[in-house]
Structures are given as structure tokens and as C-alpha cells.
Coordinates of all heavy atoms in Angstrom, one line a residue:
D1 N 250.9 95.3 -137.7 CA 250.6 93.9 -138.1 C 249.3 93.5 -137.3 O 249.3 93.4 -136.1 CB 251.7 93.0 -137.8 CG 251.5 91.6 -138.3 OD1 250.6 91.4 -139.1 OD2 252.2 90.7 -137.9
C2 N 248.2 93.3 -138.0 CA 247.0 92.9 -137.4 C 246.8 91.4 -137.8 O 246.5 91.1 -139.0 CB 245.9 93.7 -138.0 SG 244.2 93.4 -137.3
Q3 N 246.9 90.5 -136.9 CA 246.7 89.1 -137.2 C 245.3 88.6 -136.7 O 244.9 88.9 -135.6 CB 247.8 88.3 -136.4 CG 249.2 88.6 -136.9 CD 250.3 87.9 -136.1 OE1 250.0 87.0 -135.4 NE2 251.5 88.4 -136.2
A4 N 244.7 87.9 -137.6 CA 243.3 87.5 -137.3 C 243.1 86.0 -137.7 O 243.8 85.5 -138.5 CB 242.3 88.4 -138.0
E5 N 242.1 85.4 -137.2 CA 241.6 84.1 -137.5 C 240.2 84.1 -137.9 O 239.5 85.0 -137.6 CB 241.8 83.1 -136.3 CG 243.2 82.9 -135.8 CD 243.3 82.1 -134.6 OE1 242.2 81.9 -133.9 OE2 244.3 81.6 -134.3
G6 N 239.8 83.1 -138.6 CA 238.4 83.0 -139.0 C 238.2 82.0 -140.1 O 239.2 81.7 -140.9
N7 N 237.0 81.4 -140.3 CA 236.7 80.5 -141.4 C 235.3 80.8 -141.8 O 234.4 80.5 -141.1 CB 236.9 79.0 -140.9 CG 236.7 78.1 -142.1 OD1 236.6 78.5 -143.2 ND2 236.5 76.8 -141.7
P8 N 235.2 81.5 -143.0 CA 236.2 81.7 -144.0 C 237.2 82.8 -143.6 O 237.0 83.5 -142.6 CB 235.4 82.2 -145.2 CG 234.1 82.7 -144.6 CD 233.9 82.0 -143.4
Q9 N 238.3 82.8 -144.3 CA 239.4 83.7 -144.1 C 238.9 85.2 -144.0 O 238.1 85.6 -144.9 CB 240.4 83.6 -145.2 CG 241.6 84.5 -145.1 CD 242.5 84.0 -143.9 OE1 242.7 82.8 -143.7 NE2 243.2 84.9 -143.3
P10 N 239.2 85.9 -143.0 CA 238.7 87.3 -142.8 C 239.3 88.3 -143.9 O 240.4 88.0 -144.4 CB 239.2 87.7 -141.4 CG 239.7 86.5 -140.8 CD 240.0 85.5 -141.8
T11 N 238.6 89.3 -144.2 CA 239.1 90.4 -144.9 C 239.6 91.5 -143.9 O 239.1 91.5 -142.8 CB 238.0 91.0 -145.9 OG1 236.9 91.5 -145.1 CG2 237.6 90.0 -146.9
Y12 N 240.5 92.4 -144.4 CA 241.1 93.4 -143.5 C 240.7 94.8 -144.0 O 240.7 95.0 -145.2 CB 242.6 93.3 -143.4 CG 243.1 92.0 -142.8 CD1 243.1 90.8 -143.4 CD2 243.4 92.0 -141.4 CE1 243.6 89.7 -142.8 CE2 243.9 90.9 -140.8 CZ 244.0 89.7 -141.5 OH 244.4 88.6 -140.9
S13 N 240.6 95.8 -143.1 CA 240.6 97.2 -143.5 C 241.2 98.0 -142.4 O 241.0 97.7 -141.2 CB 239.2 97.6 -143.8 OG 238.3 97.5 -142.7
W14 N 242.0 99.0 -142.8 CA 242.6 99.9 -141.8 C 242.0 101.3 -141.9 O 241.7 101.8 -143.0 CB 244.1 100.1 -142.1 CG 244.9 98.9 -141.8 CD1 245.3 97.8 -142.6 CD2 245.5 98.6 -140.5 NE1 246.0 96.9 -141.9 CE2 246.2 97.4 -140.6 CE3 245.5 99.2 -139.2 CZ2 246.9 96.8 -139.5 CZ3 246.2 98.7 -138.2 CH2 246.9 97.5 -138.3
T15 N 241.8 101.9 -140.8 CA 241.3 103.3 -140.7 C 242.2 104.1 -139.8 O 242.4 103.6 -138.7 CB 239.9 103.3 -140.2 OG1 239.1 102.4 -140.9 CG2 239.3 104.7 -140.3
P16 N 242.7 105.3 -140.1 CA 242.6 105.9 -141.4 C 243.6 105.2 -142.4 O 244.6 104.7 -142.0 CB 243.0 107.3 -141.2 CG 243.9 107.3 -140.0 CD 243.4 106.1 -139.2
C17 N 243.3 105.3 -143.7 CA 244.2 104.8 -144.7 C 243.6 105.3 -146.0 O 242.4 105.4 -146.2 CB 244.2 103.3 -144.7 SG 245.4 102.6 -145.8
D18 N 244.6 105.7 -146.9 CA 244.2 106.2 -148.2 C 243.6 105.0 -149.0 O 244.2 104.0 -149.3 CB 245.4 106.7 -148.9 CG 245.1 107.3 -150.3 OD1 244.0 107.1 -150.8 OD2 246.0 107.9 -150.9
P19 N 242.3 105.1 -149.4 CA 241.6 104.0 -150.0 C 242.2 103.6 -151.4 O 241.9 102.5 -151.9 CB 240.2 104.4 -150.1 CG 240.2 105.9 -149.9 CD 241.4 106.2 -149.2
K20 N 243.0 104.5 -151.9 CA 243.7 104.2 -153.2 C 244.8 103.2 -153.0 O 245.3 102.6 -154.0 CB 244.2 105.4 -153.9 CG 243.1 106.4 -154.2 CD 243.7 107.7 -154.7 CE 242.6 108.8 -154.9 NZ 243.1 110.1 -154.7
Q21 N 245.2 103.0 -151.8 CA 246.3 102.0 -151.5 C 245.8 100.7 -151.3 O 244.9 100.5 -150.4 CB 247.1 102.5 -150.3 CG 247.8 103.8 -150.5 CD 248.6 104.1 -149.2 OE1 248.9 103.3 -148.4 NE2 249.0 105.4 -149.1
S22 N 246.3 99.7 -151.9 CA 245.8 98.3 -151.7 C 246.2 97.8 -150.3 O 245.5 96.9 -149.8 CB 246.4 97.4 -152.8 OG 247.8 97.3 -152.7
V23 N 247.2 98.4 -149.7 CA 247.6 97.9 -148.4 C 246.5 98.2 -147.3 O 246.6 97.6 -146.2 CB 248.9 98.6 -147.9 CG1 250.1 98.1 -148.8 CG2 248.9 100.1 -147.9
C24 N 245.6 99.0 -147.6 CA 244.5 99.3 -146.7 C 243.6 98.0 -146.4 O 242.9 98.0 -145.5 CB 243.6 100.4 -147.2 SG 244.4 102.0 -147.2
H25 N 243.8 97.0 -147.3 CA 243.0 95.8 -147.2 C 243.8 94.6 -147.0 O 243.5 93.5 -147.4 CB 242.1 95.7 -148.4 CG 241.3 96.9 -148.6 ND1 240.2 97.2 -147.8 CD2 241.4 97.9 -149.5 CE1 239.7 98.4 -148.2 NE2 240.4 98.8 -149.3
E26 N 245.0 94.8 -146.3 CA 245.9 93.7 -146.0 C 246.1 93.7 -144.5 O 245.9 94.7 -143.8 CB 247.2 93.8 -146.7 CG 247.0 93.7 -148.2 CD 248.3 93.9 -149.0 OE1 249.4 93.9 -148.4 OE2 248.2 94.0 -150.2
N27 N 246.7 92.6 -143.9 CA 246.9 92.6 -142.5 C 248.1 93.5 -142.0 O 248.2 93.8 -140.9 CB 247.1 91.1 -142.0 CG 248.4 90.5 -142.5 OD1 248.7 90.6 -143.7 ND2 249.2 90.0 -141.7
L28 N 249.0 93.8 -143.0 CA 250.1 94.6 -142.6 C 250.1 96.0 -143.3 O 249.9 96.1 -144.5 CB 251.4 93.9 -143.2 CG 252.7 94.5 -142.7 CD1 252.9 94.3 -141.2 CD2 253.9 93.7 -143.4
L29 N 250.1 97.0 -142.4 CA 250.1 98.4 -142.9 C 251.4 99.0 -142.5 O 251.9 99.0 -141.4 CB 249.0 99.2 -142.2 CG 248.8 100.7 -142.6 CD1 248.5 100.9 -144.0 CD2 247.8 101.3 -141.7
I30 N 252.1 99.6 -143.5 CA 253.4 100.3 -143.3 C 253.1 101.8 -143.3 O 252.5 102.3 -144.3 CB 254.5 99.9 -144.3 CG1 254.7 98.4 -144.1 CG2 255.7 100.7 -144.1 CD1 255.6 97.8 -145.2
F31 N 253.5 102.5 -142.2 CA 253.2 103.9 -142.1 C 254.4 104.7 -141.7 O 255.3 104.2 -141.0 CB 252.1 104.1 -141.0 CG 251.8 105.5 -140.7 CD1 250.9 106.1 -141.5 CD2 252.3 106.1 -139.6 CE1 250.6 107.5 -141.3 CE2 252.0 107.4 -139.3 CZ 251.1 108.1 -140.2
Q32 N 254.6 105.8 -142.3 CA 255.7 106.7 -142.0 C 255.2 107.9 -141.2 O 254.4 108.7 -141.7 CB 256.5 107.2 -143.3 CG 257.7 108.0 -143.0 CD 258.6 108.2 -144.2 OE1 258.4 107.6 -145.2 NE2 259.4 109.2 -144.1
A33 N 255.8 108.1 -140.1 CA 255.4 109.2 -139.2 C 256.0 110.5 -139.6 O 257.0 110.6 -140.2 CB 255.9 108.9 -137.8
N34 N 255.2 111.6 -139.4 CA 255.7 112.9 -139.6 C 255.8 113.7 -138.3 O 256.1 113.1 -137.3 CB 254.9 113.6 -140.7 CG 253.4 113.8 -140.3 OD1 253.1 113.9 -139.2 ND2 252.5 113.8 -141.3
D35 N 255.4 114.9 -138.3 CA 255.6 115.7 -137.0 C 254.5 115.5 -136.0 O 254.7 115.9 -134.8 CB 255.6 117.2 -137.4 CG 256.8 117.6 -138.3 OD1 257.8 116.8 -138.2 OD2 256.7 118.6 -139.0
K36 N 253.4 114.9 -136.3 CA 252.3 114.7 -135.4 C 252.8 113.8 -134.2 O 253.6 112.8 -134.5 CB 251.1 114.0 -136.1 CG 249.9 114.0 -135.3 CD 248.8 113.5 -136.2 CE 247.5 113.3 -135.4 NZ 246.4 112.7 -136.3
S37 N 252.4 114.0 -133.0 CA 252.9 113.2 -131.9 C 252.2 111.9 -131.6 O 252.8 111.0 -131.1 CB 253.0 114.1 -130.6 OG 251.7 114.6 -130.3

């Protein structure tokens, strides 16, 4: 959860994130971990 302030309302982007997913441009990113530590 990335919470931000600003006027006008800020836009969000997450890196890394699959650009085909709309969640890459929202404040909340849900991620499922695999074997990487």
C-alpha cells in the first residue's frame, strides 16, 4: 500500500509490475511470492 498526497491527485506506478495489469497504476499492489528470497 503506497499512500500519497497531492493536488492535483497523484497518479501511481509500481516497478516491477506487468504493464498489462491495471493494478500497476493504483496505490495498492497485491503480489504473490514464489521461491525468491
Side-chain angles (χ1 to χ4, degrees):
D1 188 13
C2 182
Q3 298 175 15
E5 296 177 341
N7 185 11
Q9 184 69 34
T11 59
Y12 292 84
S13 62
W14 286 95
T15 308
C17 190
D18 183 350
K20 296 174 190 150
Q21 296 181 18
S22 61
V23 296
C24 294
H25 303 289
E26 296 177 9
N27 67 309
L28 188 65
L29 177 67
I30 298 173
F31 178 78
Q32 184 169 341
N34 59 29
D35 295 338
K36 192 173 172 183
S37 57

